Amino acid sequence: MSQYDGSRKANIEEDLQTPSSWKPMQQIELFACGFNAHGQLSGHDLPDDAVQDLHRFQGVLKAVSNIRVLFAGWADTLLDVDGQLRLYGFSGHGRQNNREIRSDLSASDISVCFGDHTGLKGVLTEAGAVYLLRRLDEQVLELQRHRIELLFKHRDEQEKEEGLIQHIAVAGNGRVCVSVDSTILEFPSLNSFLDSSQPTRHTLPGPPTHLLSGETSFTAVLSQPTPTIYTWGDARHNHLGRVITPDSPSGTPQIVDHLGGIPIRKVSAAGWITAAVSTSNDLYLWGGRPGEKDRIKALPDVSRRSEDDAEVKLVDLDDDVLDVAVGAGHVVALTVDGRVWTVGRGQNGQLGCGDRRDFVDDWIEVDLGLEKGQKVEAVHCGPWASFLVVRNDRIDGPG
């Protein structure tokens, strides 16, 4: 599943030049579109027959200073709203629109959320601690600490180390990877990770700044000693951004050569697609799957690929790219001038263009209908949904 870049927050700072008699609205708004059968976008307790997909980006939530999309599954959404956790939608814990979540954590403590096809399972804190989501009763959920003991061999001795996890990613096929400094531990399932059993160890030349998962693959981004992206995963689909050879096997982290030396500040992955934005605001895409009827033009043609073809595509949107997010078959990009572009699958309205389009093979600019002073700051995707974090700079006068 695609994971949110936890270092990034949408914040509003008060304009110190504004006359004291005027009050800034200081408002952040979340817009959403796409699959909403469980109320995971609209955030309301509605009867099943009243919940509908959103085919155009609509404002669904307002906050004073901060909204983070911490987790977006196919049926549930976890938000940080002005420091408070809000969980919407349905999962294995039942329907839970805006249900209370008890925890000794604050929302700012959460670095990464993780889950599977049943929904949100837990969170990883900035300090490296794992908390699992438990149901206490019909109205209350709780994040409970789960101690992980990872075994490493040092000088022929086994040492137990805990609280060192920096990243966690759960792929669509259930496999789990966690990073501990420059070591990646890969587990066959979420349960095996929680039991600290059966890991495969991979060693990178440095600690990753990002660790993400797709349907059957993982991506790690390193900034040191040189900017590098590593991918690994299932060899049956050409979605790793590199050619699979005996010297560069699919099952171990290997370098994506086309991005070697390019500093990357944002990555997003889901399904069979991965996207990256460089520090120079260039957008790169790779992935896809042979045999698919529909193909995004901006992706390499994996059905005709040869070893001489580019495994990674540089995307031209006529402007620098500020942010990108990937869903299960669609991509949302935000340019530096605040324009939003979408492409890919749209059967549930996740492209936000106002009508149902099963598939769009080339980028379309979305007419958001924003008011004066509103500007998109960040984008995020669930499997079949899209989110925009919108800042409102409008200032109300006295009275």
Side-chain angles (χ1 to χ4, degrees):
M1 298 213 145
S2 78
Q3 308 286 330
Y4 180 79
D5 181 358
S7 64
R8 210 174 152 165
K9 297 182 181 180
N11 293 314
I12 294 179
E13 296 182 359
E14 184 173 355
D15 184 354
L16 299 181
Q17 302 303 315
T18 302
S20 59
S21 59
W22 287 19
K23 292 184 179 180
M25 290 183 68
Q26 287 195 318
Q27 210 166 68
I28 289 286
E29 189 167 2
L30 184 68
F31 283 63
C33 64
F35 184 66
N36 189 38
H38 304 286
Q40 68 269 32
L41 305 184
S42 53
H44 302 295
D45 282 321
L46 299 173
D48 290 342
D49 59 358
V51 179
Q52 299 179 351
D53 293 348
L54 307 181
H55 292 273
R56 184 181 297 278
F57 280 105
Q58 299 181 24
V60 296
L61 182 68
K62 292 183 179 181
V64 173
S65 61
N66 176 51
I67 293 178
R68 282 196 301 163
V69 181
L70 297 173
F71 178 85
W74 73 275
D76 58 345
T77 306
L78 180 66
L79 303 174
D80 167 6
V81 183
D82 288 333
Q84 301 296 316
L85 294 175
R86 295 192 185 182
L87 184 61
Y88 300 116
F90 181 88
S91 74
H93 300 287
R95 176 160 289 196
Q96 51 219 13
N97 279 323
N98 205 12
R99 295 293 186 252
E100 178 186 355
I101 299 179
R102 292 180 182 174
S103 176
D104 58 355
L105 297 175
S106 66
S108 61
D109 292 328
I110 296 175
S111 171
V112 176
C113 298
F114 57 91
D116 58 18
H117 65 282
T118 65
L120 177 68
K121 292 298 184 183
V123 305
L124 176 70
T125 70
E126 295 284 356
V130 173
Y131 284 71
L132 299 182
L133 190 65
R134 308 290 190 190
R135 181 176 179 174
L136 297 183
D137 57 39
E138 292 294 332
Q139 297 294 325
V140 181
L141 302 172
E142 184 178 38
L143 283 169
Q144 297 179 346
R145 177 75 180 271
H146 182 87
R147 297 192 176 276
I148 303 290
E149 292 183 341
L150 301 177
L151 299 180
F152 293 88
K153 285 187 176 181
H154 298 290
R155 300 173 183 171
D156 298 326
E157 296 181 359
Q158 277 196 335
E159 299 180 4
K160 293 183 179 180
E161 302 185 11
E162 190 216 354
L164 302 176
I165 301 173
Q166 285 94 37
H167 303 280
I168 178 171
V170 181
N173 60 2
R175 298 189 70 83
V176 177
C177 279
V178 301
S179 68
V180 180
D181 295 326
S182 59
T183 298
I184 301 290
L185 296 178
E186 183 172 352
F187 297 86
S189 68
L190 185 58
N191 285 337
S192 62
F193 161 64
L194 297 176
D195 293 338
S196 302
S197 62
Q198 307 177 54
T200 299
R201 179 173 177 171
H202 309 293
T203 302
L204 300 175
T209 59
H210 303 77
L211 177 63
L212 295 99
S213 58
E215 185 65 25
T216 63
S217 66
F218 295 94
T219 301
V221 182
L222 275 67
S223 59
Q224 300 292 336
T226 58
T228 314
I229 288 183
Y230 288 79
T231 62
W232 66 102
D234 194 325
R236 291 175 293 178
H237 309 293
N238 299 328
H239 60 289
L240 298 180
R242 57 185 175 87
V243 177
I244 308 303
T245 68
D247 294 330
S248 182
S250 64
T252 59
Q254 301 291 331
I255 293 175
V256 177
D257 290 327
H258 286 87
L259 296 177
I262 299 177
I264 299 296
R265 62 174 175 79
K266 173 69 184 289
V267 286
S268 181
W272 312 98
I273 301 171
T274 304
V277 178
S278 71
T279 55
S280 299
N281 297 327
D282 292 321
L283 173 61
Y284 300 90
L285 284 182
W286 64 94
R289 184 171 55 163
E292 283 190 313
K293 176 183 176 182
D294 300 311
R295 181 178 70 86
I296 297 173
K297 290 182 178 179
L299 287 172
D301 187 350
V302 295
S303 64
R304 300 180 180 179
R305 182 179 299 167
S306 69
E307 291 191 10
D308 295 328
D309 293 332
E311 302 290 322
V312 176
K313 283 285 192 75
L314 175 63
V315 177
D316 183 9
L317 290 178
D318 296 325
D319 202 351
D320 288 348
V321 174
L322 179 66
D323 199 8
V324 70
V326 178
H330 75 290
V331 185
V332 180
L334 170 66
T335 59
V336 293
D337 63 355
R339 293 185 295 165
V340 172
W341 298 79
T342 59
V343 69
R345 299 193 182 280
Q347 67 272 31
N348 296 105
Q350 59 264 50
L351 298 182
C353 52
D355 56 6
R356 174 174 174 169
R357 304 186 189 186
D358 286 346
F359 191 84
V360 174
D361 64 359
D362 207 356
W363 296 95
I364 56 173
E365 183 179 357
V366 181
D367 181 7
L368 300 174
L370 298 180
E371 298 178 0
K372 184 178 180 180
Q374 289 184 310
K375 187 174 182 179
V376 181
E377 285 195 334
V379 298
H380 193 88
C381 284
W384 307 323
S386 305
F387 302 86
L388 309 176
V389 177
V390 177
R391 177 167 55 95
N392 193 339
D393 280 337
R394 189 178 61 199
I395 298 176
D396 289 343

